[in-house]
Amino acid sequence: MSLKVDNEAELREARNSLFSENGTTSGWLLLNYVGASTVHFTAGGEGGVENIVPLLEDDQIQYALVRIDGVQGDGAGETTVRDVFLAWIGPEVGMIEKSKKSGYLGDAQIILQPYHADVTVVNKDRLNRETLLDKSQPLSDSHVID
């Protein structure tokens, strides 16, 4: 069984508007579970990761795609964007729920691809632009914000 999106057309429309190939502004999308194997595109908008933090629920597993603008590129003075997949695991999510939904992580990643990095978030108090940039680096020691 695979993960389904119950409002896929809305998600596709939001993704196309916020994450265009040539886009250079920050944006985000958030998916919430509405069933055992169904997610719902809940919210999205322009702005940074700080806009998602208030929407992360302590008793939920949620997935997000965040575009960070102004990332230093390879060239001198060059900036680019970085798209990061986030998996939020709230502190009140039980072990059984974590186990059941862990099997859908790969499906969620496919739904929200392409992206440059994936990060697991278990402490939303530490989720900010700087920490996300650090943890999404290819050579980061850990891709977990705890």
Side-chain angles (χ1 to χ4, degrees):
M1 182 181 277
S2 63
L3 188 64
K4 296 177 179 79
V5 180
D6 70 349
N7 59 344
E8 193 169 341
E10 290 176 42
L11 173 60
R12 197 173 321 118
E13 184 179 320
R15 181 177 178 100
N16 289 341
S17 95
L18 294 169
F19 289 83
S20 69
E21 209 172 290
N22 298 322
T24 58
T25 59
S26 295
W28 55 276
L29 304 170
L30 182 65
L31 302 179
N32 286 359
Y33 275 92
V34 292
S37 62
T38 304
V39 291
H40 180 82
F41 165 59
T42 304
E46 292 182 357
V49 67
E50 65 278 354
N51 297 102
I52 290 179
V53 174
L55 302 174
L56 298 178
E57 300 176 33
D58 288 346
D59 62 346
Q60 297 292 316
I61 293 175
Q62 296 167 281
Y63 307 110
L65 184 63
V66 178
R67 173 166 280 178
I68 306 169
D69 64 354
V71 178
Q72 286 301 112
D74 292 335
E78 177 185 310
T79 61
T80 186
V81 295
R82 181 178 302 153
D83 295 339
V84 182
F85 172 88
L86 299 180
W88 160 249
I89 304 169
E92 296 174 15
V93 176
M95 291 304 292
I96 293 172
E97 189 77 9
K98 285 180 192 177
S99 179
K100 286 180 182 177
K101 292 184 177 165
S102 69
Y104 295 116
L105 176 62
D107 293 337
Q109 291 172 325
I110 290 169
I111 290 166
L112 293 177
Q113 72 180 349
Y115 51 85
H116 300 102
D118 63 284
V119 173
T120 300
V121 181
V122 294
N123 182 348
K124 65 183 172 184
D125 294 335
R126 294 200 54 229
L127 179 57
N128 56 52
R129 177 183 162 82
E130 293 75 31
T131 305
L132 189 56
L133 276 172
D134 178 51
K135 296 297 183 177
S136 66
Q137 292 287 341
L139 299 177
S140 176
D141 60 339
S142 169
H143 296 283
V144 177
I145 298 175
D146 55 3

